[in-house]
Amino acid sequence: MSDPYAPTADDRFTFGLWTVGNPGADPFGRPTRKPMEPVHVLRKLAEAGAWGVNFHDEDLVPFGASPGEREEIIGRFKAGLEETGLVVSMSTTNLFSHPAFKDGAFTADDPAVRALAVTKAMDAIDLGASLGSHIHVFWGGREGCETDARRDPRQAIKRMRSAMDFLCDYVLEREHEMVFALEAKPNEPRGDIYFSTTGHLLHFITTLEHPEMVGVNPEVAHETMAGLSFVHSVAQAMEAGKLFHIDLNAQNIGRFDQDLRFGAADLKGAFNLVRLLEGTMGGFAYHGPRHFDAHAYRTEDEEGVWEFARGCMRTYKILAERARAFDTDPEVIGLRQEFQEDFVSPLLIDYSPEAEAALREMAIDPDALGARGLHLEKLDQIMTEYLLGVRD
Ligand code: GLT
Ligand code: MN
Ligand code: MN
């Protein structure tokens, strides 16, 4: 029998060149793995069953490459895409590595830095578009500070807004079919990063000139670093029609940005996330790329990297299968349906004196409501047993 967990193109699994290509350096130690050629990454990703690939401008074309080198690199990469059938599902701009961006890119106080950042972003957008990307991510890793002594954070917000407005107009002018997905993180590498959570970004987007062109790219690790429920952040983004992209990985609360293999921590959180994305929980599913923004442990050699990549996809598919089983279990359906007879929502659509009167007339006994058991212990235990594989 064929492996039911083998990834297919329909799963839309993607990896960044910087994820599987991560050489294992950390602030205290040098790389433990050799850099990988982008075309080699394409071949190995295709072999593992991924659907797409993502990159920062600099993952592909090193900063400062000559026009000739640039053309040669892009040509080779294009040939690699054709050979493997992988799509470019997302592109992004590296606005954090170069020392020029040490105090921010779009939000920097120095106007020359802001000009450089916007120009670099336009070039990265063009590069992505030329290779088929329809989503451009902005992760403002350096958009923050260690001290608020100089920059008024309101100024930073305004600068970010004008950069986004400018770049949306640029995309429209160039007639690229492209949207933006903004990615939040509370800290690291800056002491504090502006727009620290997905919720902050969801509001910010409503203040843009082209809010329809801009959504979010929540990352498991980043929301978890803030001590928040990733599932709830993603749900809010979906409900707002703003989940344009997602960065899947794993993270323990209170740690540095771990970017662990999907499912390597908080399996229950991952399970509920997959229920949400796959729509087994109810409501609509997410149809965008399922991107693993994670990397292999620093202890691994290249074989370990591909083990890691296969693990991300396999765990997602196992969780999706478990999610379908859980959400179609008659006992689960019964327990979840307890409040199906909803006699209040229709009254709450619009205020009217009649609706008010109807609400006031209901003979509701608060003590009876308070005393009743809600069977969530039972439901949660069933969920645990599905996750542990002892219930089908
Ligand atoms: C960087 C960061 C990721 C972002 C990437 C996109 S850059 O690797 O840690 O979370 O998604 O810019
Ligand atoms: Mn990310
Ligand atoms: Mn991360």
Side-chain angles (χ1 to χ4, degrees):
M1 215 186 91
S2 65
D3 179 1
Y5 306 120
T8 71
D10 287 344
D11 297 317
R12 301 185 138 220
F13 290 141
T14 74
F15 291 85
L17 290 180
W18 74 93
T19 64
V20 283
N22 183 297
D26 69 19
F28 303 95
R30 289 189 292 275
T32 58
R33 295 184 286 264
K34 293 216 167 58
M36 283 190 221
E37 264 293 302
V39 174
H40 173 70
V41 173
L42 293 180
R43 291 190 180 128
K44 296 299 282 185
L45 282 179
E47 191 184 307
W51 166 76
V53 68
N54 318 297
F55 51 80
H56 298 85
D57 46 357
E58 292 179 37
D59 299 340
L60 195 55
V61 184
F63 195 82
S66 71
E69 284 165 342
R70 184 184 165 89
E71 209 175 302
E72 208 257 320
I73 293 170
I74 295 173
R76 237 185 304 142
F77 193 69
K78 258 190 185 150
L81 289 171
E82 268 160 40
E83 176 197 317
T84 57
L86 286 185
V87 305
V88 172
S89 47
M90 178 268 268
S91 49
T92 179
T93 319
N94 182 328
L95 293 171
F96 44 89
S97 292
H98 197 286
F101 301 123
K102 61 189 173 192
D103 195 24
F106 298 140
T107 63
D109 289 320
D110 186 337
V113 174
R114 298 205 300 277
L116 178 68
V118 170
T119 310
K120 197 171 190 291
M122 289 189 287
D123 289 346
I125 287 170
D126 289 344
L127 174 66
S130 74
L131 292 166
S133 164
H134 297 297
I135 304 171
H136 202 80
V137 161
F138 287 100
W139 171 65
R142 297 278 173 203
E143 315 289 8
C145 63
E146 285 69 45
T147 169
D148 290 311
R150 184 168 63 192
R151 187 187 306 124
D152 178 338
R154 289 168 294 189
Q155 190 68 42
I157 294 167
K158 287 190 198 321
R159 287 176 185 158
M160 184 63 103
R161 180 179 300 121
S162 58
M164 286 301 126
D165 287 344
F166 185 93
L167 292 169
C168 281
D169 282 337
Y170 179 73
V171 164
L172 294 171
E173 174 72 25
R174 286 286 157 126
E175 299 186 356
H176 292 320
E177 247 181 69
M178 186 176 270
V179 293
F180 295 163
L182 312 185
E183 178 175 347
K185 188 172 177 181
N187 60 276
E188 197 196 303
R190 300 313 299 269
D192 288 288
I193 296 179
Y194 305 123
F195 309 105
S196 45
T197 72
T198 298
H200 289 77
L201 286 173
L202 284 171
H203 170 262
F204 171 69
I205 291 167
T206 67
T207 71
L208 298 176
E209 258 171 32
H210 289 287
E212 73 288 353
M213 290 175 67
V214 186
V216 290
N217 176 40
E219 173 175 316
V220 177
H222 299 177
E223 227 65 21
T224 308
M225 283 170 77
L228 301 176
S229 159
F230 187 64
V231 172
H232 294 188
S233 295
V234 171
Q236 189 171 359
M238 285 176 89
E239 209 270 337
K242 288 296 178 194
L243 188 66
F244 286 11
H245 198 267
I246 191 160
D247 278 359
L248 301 169
N249 55 24
Q251 172 77 22
N252 295 293
I253 288 187
R255 306 285 166 88
F256 63 93
D257 186 16
Q258 294 180 301
D259 292 335
L260 301 171
R261 189 183 74 255
F262 184 61
D266 188 16
L267 260 183
K268 210 179 210 176
F271 177 69
N272 281 314
L273 175 63
V274 171
R275 288 176 72 211
L276 198 62
L277 296 178
E278 297 299 307
T280 67
M281 197 185 255
F284 56 93
Y286 163 75
H287 295 294
R290 280 139 174 89
H291 173 232
F292 298 105
D293 186 12
H295 45 79
Y297 302 137
R298 187 166 183 263
T299 50
E300 302 308 290
D301 60 6
E302 190 179 328
E303 183 40 39
V305 169
W306 301 116
E307 203 58 64
F308 144 87
R310 287 190 294 270
C312 286
M313 298 186 280
R314 194 171 168 79
T315 299
Y316 187 101
K317 291 204 76 159
I318 295 170
L319 288 173
E321 183 270 316
R322 295 281 78 198
R324 279 188 290 275
F326 175 76
D327 282 309
T328 53
D329 181 320
E331 194 176 1
V332 170
I333 293 172
L335 286 164
R336 292 190 68 209
Q337 263 174 355
E338 224 159 311
F339 300 106
Q340 279 302 18
E341 202 203 322
D342 185 352
F343 47 88
V344 164
S345 292
L347 294 173
L348 296 183
I349 292 172
D350 279 315
Y351 172 82
S352 69
E354 295 72 35
E356 181 189 336
L359 288 171
R360 291 190 186 281
E361 274 158 26
M362 284 177 195
I364 294 170
D365 175 355
D367 292 336
L369 294 185
R372 197 182 30 164
L374 298 183
H375 311 121
L376 288 172
E377 284 289 359
K378 187 165 189 183
L379 194 51
D380 191 73
Q381 178 64 22
I382 297 175
M383 179 184 285
T384 303
E385 294 191 11
Y386 268 99
L387 267 174
L388 293 175
V390 296
R391 183 162 167 148
D392 286 301

